[in-house]
Amino acid sequence: MPRKPRSKSPTGYFHITLRGNGGQLLFDDAEDRIAMLQILDAILPKHNIELIAWCLMGNHIHLLIDDPDDRKSDAMHAVAVSYAGRYNARTGHIGHVFQERFWDSPIKSEVYLLEAIRYIHLNPQKAGLARFENKG
């Protein structure tokens, strides 16, 4: 059965999620997290994609990107392959690191853009990993 085509975004913004295969942890330590950020920093600009917001959870990541040229599929494939190769070499893991294709949701309005940024940044608190205090 063929895959459904990716959705288009009238704004160029997308909320992206990548999950560890079978819920496996993607990051063993800060070194892994830094490596993912370096991979994103190296690959996304090559595809004219700007990273707006991000959150690296233990077994998944959230990204909010600006993708005006609709190149997210190639970019996320390159990110996943690059990180999986590094992860497998470092840990001795064999096989898929990421579960299926990345999930994406087109951001269709400024209100949804702000909601997605808030959701991404508050994800660690929602999971009980961090506390957020609104002092404003």
Side-chain angles (χ1 to χ4, degrees), residues 62-108:
H62 291 277
L63 309 173
L64 194 134
I65 62 167
D66 182 10
D67 179 21
D69 300 331
D70 195 27
R71 297 185 60 199
K72 68 186 172 303
S73 290
D74 290 340
M76 295 312 301
H77 176 76
V79 166
V81 167
S82 181
Y83 186 78
R86 179 202 174 275
Y87 181 88
N88 284 346
R90 188 167 108 76
T91 64
H93 180 268
I94 297 171
H96 295 284
V97 174
F98 293 102
Q99 180 177 307
E100 301 174 347
R101 297 192 306 167
F102 66 92
W103 172 88
D104 67 329
S105 177
I107 306 292
K108 297 179 180 175

Side-chain angles (χ1 to χ4, degrees), residues 5 19 28 38-39 41 43 48 68 71 89 102 109 116 129 132 136:
R19 298 197 170 278
D28 290 333
Q38 289 171 335
I39 289 167
D41 189 47
I43 291 173
N48 193 32
R71 297 185 60 199
F102 66 92
S109 69
L129 302 173
F132 174 78

Side-chain angles (χ1 to χ4, degrees), residues 3 9-11 26 30 36 38 61 73 111 135-136:
R3 294 178 176 169
S9 170
T11 64
L26 296 172
M36 174 58 85
Q38 289 171 335
I61 69 172
S73 290
V111 170
K135 297 183 181 185

